[in-house]
Every structure is written in C-alpha cells, then in structure tokens.
C-alpha cells in the first residue's frame, strides 16, 4: 500500500505542514484532498473523510490527531521518537483526536504563523 497523506491544500497551515514534512522525509506522498485526486489515487476511502480530516495511509488508514502523530513518527528526528512514544499510548487517542478537532476548527486563526515556519 502506498504511503499517502491527503491534506487540505486550501489551508495555509496544512500546506505548510505538507511542505515542511516533505523536506524532512520522502516516506509520504502528500496529495491534495480534492475529490478527483482521491479517486485517482485508487485508495478505497469515502471521499468525504479527507475533506474533513487529515488522512494518512500507511499499513492502515489513520485520521486526525493519530494521522498527525503517524506522519511525525516518520520524520527522522526527536519529534519522530516522541510521536512513536505517544502512538504507543492508545488510551490517550481520544485526547489526540480532541486536540486535533480543536486545532482544525481554529486553524485559520493560526495561518499567520506560516511566515515564521520553514515552509
């Protein structure tokens, strides 16, 4: 199975995240979350899911906060070690996804940060 991330290409923070992760690792293929790209990828997934959440496909399909941690876990730095540790703590998955939900609902408020990030 391909290592694919569907991200919101219309969001400055999301686009910055994809660019930043592409600089750190070539493990993932970052694709925009538009319907045609999802269909053309050949991945069997409901096209409405990537419209609402970041999705990464590795050994299985991951959404939201878990997907973010999974993506970071392949970045090859200290953050990847920390992310792998957090992924082992399955009882906390609810909190990761809740944090992702809060951030995703307010991400436009954080768009100004992109000028300070490496993206």
């Amino acid at each position: 199975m391909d290592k694919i991330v569907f991200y919101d290409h219309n969001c400055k923070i999301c686009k910055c995240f994809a660019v930043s992760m592409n600089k750190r690792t070539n493990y993932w293929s970052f694709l925009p979350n538009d319907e045609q790209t999802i269909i053309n990828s050949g991945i069997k997934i409901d096209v409405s899911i990537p419209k609402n959440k970041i999705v990464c496909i590795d050994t299985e399909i991951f959404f939201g906060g878990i997907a973010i941690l999974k993506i970071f876990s392949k970045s090859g730095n200290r953050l990847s070690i920390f992310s792998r540790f957090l992924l082992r703590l399955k009882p906390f998955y609810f909190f990761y996804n809740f944090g992702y939900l809060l951030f995703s609902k307010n991400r436009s408020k954080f768009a100004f940060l992109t000028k300070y990030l490496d993206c």
Side-chain angles (χ1 to χ4, degrees), residues 19-76:
V19 168
S20 175
M21 293 313 299
N22 267 329
K23 289 178 182 177
R24 292 181 179 181
T25 181
N26 60 0
Y27 186 84
W28 302 104
S29 295
F30 285 85
L31 301 174
N33 67 346
D34 62 88
E35 190 172 322
Q36 196 57 49
T37 303
I38 296 166
I39 292 168
N40 290 343
S41 73
I43 303 295
K44 303 277 189 238
I45 187 171
D46 181 355
V47 294
S48 66
I49 294 172
K51 294 238 181 252
N52 299 316
K53 299 177 183 176
I54 189 166
V55 175
C56 80
I57 300 146
D58 192 1
T59 54
E60 56 186 281
I61 299 174
F62 301 94
F63 309 101
I66 306 307
I68 296 290
L69 289 173
K70 197 73 167 151
I71 294 164
F72 277 130
S73 75
K74 304 297 183 183
S75 65

